[in-house]
Amino acid sequence: MPPAPSSILAWEDDPGAPGSRRHPDAQPRPTLAAAPLPVSIDAKAPPAREFKVGSPEFRYWVAAEALARGAQFWGTILPKGTRWHSTNGARLPVELDEDVDLNAYYDRHGLHFFHDTVKGVTVYSGESPDVVCHELGHAVLDGLRPQLWDALSAEVAAFHESFGDMSAMLSGLQLQSLREEVLAETASRLDRSSRLSRLAEQLGWAVRQGHPDAVDRDCLRNASNSFFYTDPLKLPPTAPAATLSSEPHSFSRVFTGAFLNILAGMFRLQKKRDQAALLDTSRDAATILVTAIKTTPVVPTYFSQIATHMISADAATFRGRYRDALKGGFVKHGVLSLQAATSPPSPAPGAEDAPLARIALPAAHLGLPQELFVTAASHPKRFAVTGAAPDVGGTESPGHDDAAAAFLEDLVRRGEVDFNGHAVAETAVLAPKRRKTHEVVREADELVLVRRCIDCGVTLAP
Ligand SMILES: [Zn+2]
């Protein structure tokens, strides 16, 4: 008789806030080296056994299972030949526990996870499959559409965060046990708040203890929400979690909210509404999303461009089967104005791969001695669509230079820019924030803003 396959224990989506009665499930030993998206954890793999909750060996297998599940899922959806961004290497490096922080980030040299102790509970961001598959989503999207990395636009940055949350939801739905639980919890109405919609309950709890208004009441971010699109240029750079700001995690909730509505609408269209149909729905939604991302030009009004390209992708791939679900979700959250959603469907376009423009922005008000060069979301807009205005009709589309200037000012006001000594100390606002997403570097005679990482934490203290 062949030996029994070695099994490990893993959380499905999250350990849950303290007091949660969740228990880990047995899973087969995950394979991290599988093509086309292999992953490499920085620690030696313990033997494949069912370790005790709370042990480092248990946490290793939880992270490994989530990484393997997410990478395998996206590997079957992405266009052939999609690889990690080259600076990650052939295998995506993962540091499971880098330092003390309530955080996780992706920086083109892999994924980084942390731990911190709050009210006697030590929370490891790498122990939450929600957080792991969110971070993995950043790396997947960077491999698929590297132009998004540097494009200085609030909507582009917010879409990266939304893709992380969509990656967490879609990767979770690859587990039959979670599909069954979510269908039971929502009475098959997937847009209700559930294990699926609530992202990172445990990390959300930990952040809430120190910063009660920084996260949702029951998790880090909830995709079951009623946020309505607002031009991010008209939003403040930060806000309590209950309202919308132009900060990427906050603003991402508009698109993620629409996506959950769309998933729910797509599932309602299945002949038999069971867990197998939910698996098919998750794969179809991911296919529509990825097809759209590949072809959507990088523009300041990125949400509405992606939305229109998703409707085109559905027409081309599924003969418009999901059109009403897509329109319904996008209109409900204002991602598309009613006019944009009711215009006749356009043919599926080819990819827009022109390099983005580098533009000079005035920077004296930031304390810099000369203008600052930035990468703008400068692709020509393909579809003349916009998000909804709060009263009637659509919003105005800002130019890529105005969108870049506004996002730059947001970044400085949130303390996200490391001036690297190039700013005039007497006039610049030099925020003490520990991990900054952007930095100013000198290239020949020019000062240039480059992205350092996509930081997913909500730690507000330095
Ligand atoms: Zn993120």
Side-chain angles (χ1 to χ4, degrees), residues 104 134-135 138 160-161 164-165 221 249 454-457:
H134 172 99
E135 294 307 318
H138 283 305
H160 236 289
E161 294 306 334
D165 287 359
R221 284 183 293 280
H249 301 88
I454 294 182
D455 189 13
C456 302

Side-chain angles (χ1 to χ4, degrees), residues 24-40:
D25 289 338
Q27 302 286 354
R29 182 197 168 110
T31 309
L32 288 165
L37 298 173
V39 174
S40 163

Side-chain angles (χ1 to χ4, degrees), residues 51 53 61 76 215 245 331 342 347-348 361 390 399 401 406 439 444 452:
F51 287 100
V53 175
W61 286 119
T76 61
V215 294
S245 78
V331 167
T342 50
L361 294 177
D401 44 356
E439 62 181 328
R452 197 183 260 173

